[in-house]
Amino acid sequence: MVLGLPEASLRPFVDRYVGYRERADVPLVRREPAGVFVVLILGWGAPLDVTDPRSAERGVTTVDSFVAGTFDSWCTTRTVGVGEGVELLLAPLTARRLLGLPLNELTNRAVGVGQLPGRWLDRLRDRLAEAPGWPERFAVLDRVLAARLVASPPVDPRLEWAWRWLVAGGGRGSVGVLADELGWSRRHLASRFRQEVGLPPKMAARLLRFQRAHAASIQVGAAGRAVDWAAVAAGCGYYDQSHLIRDFHQFAGATPAALLAAR
């Protein structure tokens, strides 16, 4: 893996580039937890399958480059061979601007980049594959993504503010309070979130809490310490440990302890 830092003007939108080269001599299957983010993979090696166990129609097979919208459950990826590419994790409203389409069109779906409007991601993938090294690839990403953002209209600032409000609170704030702050009804807020973010605000808040708990458990486990799951639940805004376990089952397909042990 090679990490790249975007140019300064992009950092409010993209926190990092992840370049990778990976060899799998036998099929490599990963369980991918849900998250309120959009995954963009631009690859030029062994193809991947992305599978949502709830519905085969939501996944995509034998692609080296794809976009996965916001998911409210886990999925799996499968590959064999030598894969190489770049991964970006994008906040929903950034992805909405870069992709040029409302994210409700990608909710719980993974699609090959060739299916998206304009085929600009196809051309970007080709440029990345032809570049001589990772610094040159990251420079190409800087130029192309900056140009896309300049050319795209900004999202509704009230929606942008609502997203930042949820993120700042780690998903712990009341959706009713958020609607009141905006001067919107809860129904209107939910409708706008579904269209532009891909998920209603209550589900987005749950996923933000889960992401925080998941990251905290990995950090503690990586340090070689036993995880106090009750403390993690309380610190991430869960009512109790059972609610945390429920979210891990739904969003990662396993209990917190089983998921940590599998890592």
Side-chain angles (χ1 to χ4, degrees), residues 95-110:
R96 197 264 181 265
R97 290 184 62 182
L98 288 172
L99 299 176
L101 74 167
L103 290 190
N104 64 345
E105 297 184 23
L106 293 173
T107 303
N108 289 321
R109 289 182 61 208

Side-chain angles (χ1 to χ4, degrees), residues 163-234:
W163 170 253
R164 290 198 303 268
W165 189 91
L166 280 179
V167 171
R172 288 182 286 189
S174 162
V175 173
V177 170
L178 175 57
D180 290 343
E181 291 281 349
L182 289 167
W184 287 351
S185 69
R186 293 185 64 165
R187 177 176 293 181
H188 182 68
L189 174 63
S191 174
R192 294 301 309 279
F193 251 73
R194 284 193 185 95
Q195 181 178 19
E196 302 297 342
V197 174
L199 298 168
K202 188 173 181 179
M203 177 59 72
R206 280 184 62 193
L207 283 165
L208 286 168
R209 289 195 298 272
F210 163 73
Q211 288 171 205
R212 187 177 178 189
H214 188 216
S217 66
I218 291 172
Q219 185 176 14
V220 173
R225 304 195 306 271
V227 180
D228 183 341
W229 295 110
V232 170

Side-chain angles (χ1 to χ4, degrees), residues 104-133:
N104 64 345
E105 297 184 23
L106 293 173
T107 303
N108 289 321
R109 289 182 61 208
V111 299
V113 298
Q115 297 176 253
L116 297 173
R119 301 188 69 87
W120 69 277
L121 285 171
D122 257 343
R123 296 190 293 275
L124 175 57
R125 184 264 316 277
D126 292 342
R127 291 177 63 184
L128 295 174
E130 293 165 1

